[in-house]
Structure formats: structure tokens, C-alpha cells
Amino acid sequence: MTVTLTEKAEFRLRAFLKGSATEDAKKGVRISVKDGGCSGYEYGIEITSKPQPDDVVSQQGNVLIYVDAKSAPLLAGVVVDFVEGVMDSGFKFSNPNATDTCGCGKSFKTNDGTPDGVPCGQ
């Protein structure tokens, strides 16, 4: 499996899936990586019911996970957690492929040609 969800992350994602407007057997979460963020790559997570032909599809508990083929190598071994705190709450990514991360926790860099980062706040 490319992506692992902690128990807390799976619980939160199940709640988001149940709360979304449509009931669809293919409804799940798309986890992706795109160029951007302060370190070069930025994580993305969204609810979807439209898998793409090249998606790597897995299921953890009751959550379908879709990862596009381009993002899959950068997300290999990633653990997604959900943390709650006084100052910061949300999904956190632990990525063994990251050689550097931004203080925001939503951006990372690798040694294999990470694009230039964009300073925070732009």
C-alpha cells in the first residue's frame, strides 16, 4: 500500500465521507502531491467519487484511497494522521521520501528534482 492512515485519520475521513452530499460506492479520498508549497511539493487531500484510469486504489477500513500515478512514488510509505491541538489541528503527513519539510507541515522536498518552493504566504 502506498498510503497508510492512522486510526484517527481514518475516523475523521469516514466522517467527512458520510457528511458529503452524495452517496456513491466509489466515494473516497484523493491524496496527491503537486508542485508548490514553501518546500517545493505540496500535499493535497479531497473527497471524490470519480477515480481516474491511472489511479492506484486501496482501501483502509471503510475509506477508499485514490492516488494518481504521478503522486504515487512521492507518497510511497506515507502515514497520514489527524492531530488536534490548541494551536494546530488537521491532517499531518509523515513522509519517508521527504528530505526537508516546511514548518507548516504541508510542504516537502526530496532529493530527486523537487521544484523550487514558493515562500509561505504567496
Side-chain angles (χ1 to χ4, degrees):
M1 173 185 280
T2 302
V3 175
T4 301
L5 304 176
T6 65
E7 190 176 323
K8 285 182 180 181
E10 192 226 340
F11 177 79
R12 280 296 183 157
L13 289 169
R14 273 196 334 255
F16 286 127
L17 291 169
K18 285 181 182 178
S20 65
T22 62
E23 290 298 322
D24 188 334
K26 293 182 180 180
K27 187 168 52 171
V29 295
R30 173 172 304 288
I31 299 176
S32 61
V33 171
K34 61 183 177 179
D35 293 356
C38 24
S39 292
Y41 288 122
E42 187 172 44
Y43 297 108
I45 189 166
E46 65 183 346
I47 304 294
T48 187
S49 58
K50 297 178 183 174
Q52 301 300 312
D54 67 343
D55 279 347
V56 176
V57 182
S58 60
Q59 184 165 348
Q60 194 162 344
N62 293 323
V63 177
L64 279 171
I65 302 169
Y66 301 106
V67 177
D68 65 272
K70 181 182 170 191
S71 297
L74 296 168
L75 293 171
V78 163
V79 176
V80 181
D81 193 11
F82 187 85
V83 297
E84 294 183 77
V86 175
M87 297 293 289
D88 192 22
S89 297
F91 292 100
K92 300 293 180 187
F93 296 80
S94 296
N95 190 340
N97 305 299
T99 57
D100 194 18
T101 58
C102 181
C104 68
K106 297 180 184 354
S107 180
F108 69 101
K109 178 187 268 189
T110 66
N111 280 335
D112 64 355
T114 301
D116 290 336
V118 178
C120 292
Q122 286 190 2

